[in-house]
Amino acid sequence: MTPVRIDIDETLVGTRLDMLLVARHPERSRTSIQKAIDGGCATINGERGKSGIRLELGDCVEYALPDEEAKAPLQAEEIPLDILYEDDAILVINKPAGLVVHPAAGNESGTLVSGLLFREPEAFAEVGDDADRPGIVHRLDKDTSGVLVIARTPQAHAALKRSFQERQVDKIYLAMASRHFKDPFGVVEEPVGRDPRHRQKMSVLPDGGREALTKYRVIAERDGASLLQVRLYTGRTHQIRVHLSHIGHPILGDGLYGGPRKLPPFSCERQMLHAWKIAIPHPVTGERTVFTAPAPTDFQKNLDLFAEVTDLTGLV
């Protein structure tokens, strides 16, 4: 498109850059505009802009949004869903490892979203503010298993999204990490962002990363591996994987972040990370509601190995 210039006056002071462009281009999703800004489509006073920066009086914004590529419509596909709970507002599933949550480059089909549209096409088609992610308010990596909460109505989507943003959601994972820990409890509070050299990875970035807080507790140890209970206080992409790798304890099977795929007697064909519990304020009643996802077979086999040497009653 032709470059556009906007001079920031009193009516626009404090507006986020991405929201300014969303207001100017309501036909485009906020996600697509944020991606365009991340790609360098906008400048503020001649310097590359960032989506979340708030504009000041006298700023000069210049931008040229790239043409959107035509997208194939979302496809409904019959995909088995392990449903833990459902009511009129939410659907809670135990996501298997290997299932991608929503369409993305290289994963346009066979996603959880495709399964949702097959199950309830009318209910999910209009839920949420991103047409590619109907009903989705949080996500799990492809090879992470566990509990996932999905909104079934626009009202529930808005309420759940707000709960996540305001950190009213408790997320507890089970992870199997490399090596034994010196201390049974630990905190990792390091900013996380896209690795500038390896675009498929995230990394700890002291400059430019987003706030990220992870706490862990060692439950059991054996044969150079540790079973952890991990609590997330923020929800950055790959956060647990990045933080544990950063402190020298990558997750078993997580080759992207240095985790060993072979560590007898453990069998690790994928990262040993399971979203075990989630507690949310119910989007209709506001009542704190807890959901637990049983571990899948591959994770449970490794969990049983820890049970051979340690009492796992601490899993509460």
Side-chain angles (χ1 to χ4, degrees):
M1 66 176 290
T2 303
V4 177
R5 172 178 172 144
I6 303 173
D7 294 313
I8 304 304
D9 58 21
E10 291 85 351
T11 64
L12 296 174
V13 170
T15 304
R16 285 173 50 119
L17 177 60
D18 56 353
M19 296 311 296
L20 174 67
L21 301 195
V22 167
R24 296 295 180 104
H25 299 276
E27 77 283 359
R28 300 182 71 153
S29 72
R30 180 178 175 182
T31 300
S32 72
I33 285 178
Q34 289 175 332
K35 288 180 179 178
I37 293 172
D38 291 342
C41 84
T43 63
I44 302 173
N45 304 324
E47 297 185 1
R48 184 167 174 163
K50 295 183 179 180
S51 293
I53 194 167
R54 293 191 181 275
L55 301 167
E56 300 179 356
L57 184 65
D59 281 346
C60 174
V61 174
E62 294 182 289
Y63 71 94
L65 292 177
D67 294 333
E68 287 192 294
E69 296 181 5
K71 293 183 179 180
L74 294 177
Q75 297 297 317
E77 300 176 67
E78 187 172 8
I79 295 173
L81 301 178
D82 181 3
I83 298 171
L84 301 172
Y85 173 85
E86 63 179 310
D87 60 26
D88 292 339
I90 59 175
L91 181 70
V92 183
I93 71 162
N94 187 0
K95 187 189 87 67
L99 179 64
V100 175
V101 172
H102 56 74
N107 292 289
E108 288 80 8
S109 63
T111 67
L112 170 61
V113 163
S114 297
L116 295 176
L117 292 175
F118 181 88
R119 187 174 190 268
E120 298 178 68
E122 294 183 0
F124 284 107
E126 302 298 328
V127 177
D129 50 12
D130 188 334
D132 288 337
R133 306 180 185 187
I136 304 302
V137 291
H138 68 124
R139 59 184 290 276
L140 298 174
D141 297 338
K142 176 182 178 181
D143 288 328
T144 297
S145 56
V147 64
L148 197 70
V149 180
I150 301 153
R152 297 181 70 175
T153 69
Q155 296 79 9
H157 186 276
L160 286 170
K161 188 173 180 179
R162 185 166 55 251
S163 294
F164 276 92
Q165 291 172 341
E166 296 177 356
R167 300 184 183 177
Q168 298 174 345
V169 177
D170 291 328
K171 295 167 286 185
I172 301 175
Y173 290 68
L174 297 179
M176 298 177 192
S178 306
R179 296 186 283 279
H180 296 175
F181 287 70
K182 292 182 179 179
D183 300 307
F185 299 93
V187 178
V188 186
E189 189 170 9
E190 296 286 354
V192 171
R194 182 71 58 184
D195 190 300
R197 293 170 296 178
H198 305 285
R199 300 301 294 172
Q200 300 302 314
K201 296 177 62 175
M202 308 297 285
S203 63
V204 166
L205 297 178
D207 296 317
R210 299 179 68 190
E211 173 194 11
L213 174 61
T214 305
K215 294 184 179 181
Y216 63 84
R217 176 167 70 94
V218 178
I219 298 170
E221 296 178 332
R222 70 166 293 172
D223 296 296
S226 299
L227 174 64
L228 310 178
Q229 182 173 309
V230 183
R231 187 181 297 269
L232 276 184
Y233 290 84
T234 50
R236 309 305 174 214
T237 300
H238 299 181
Q239 179 176 321
I240 295 175
R241 301 165 63 191
V242 171
H243 273 175
L244 289 180
S245 178
H246 178 70
I247 63 173
H249 297 276
I251 293 174
L252 301 188
D254 189 359
L256 185 63
Y257 292 102
R261 292 193 176 276
K262 293 183 179 180
L263 185 66
F266 302 100
S267 177
C268 310
E269 296 300 319
R270 53 102 176 181
Q271 67 235 21
M272 288 291 100
L273 183 62
H274 178 66
W276 181 44
K277 287 187 179 183
I278 192 167
I280 62 168
H282 191 279
V284 175
T285 67
E287 181 179 353
R288 178 180 166 85
T289 312
V290 181
F291 303 103
T292 302
T297 301
D298 63 337
F299 197 94
Q300 187 63 52
K301 286 182 178 178
N302 288 328
L303 198 60
D304 291 341
L305 293 173
F306 284 105
E308 291 177 4
V309 295
T310 309
D311 181 4
L312 298 182
T313 55
L315 291 176
V316 295

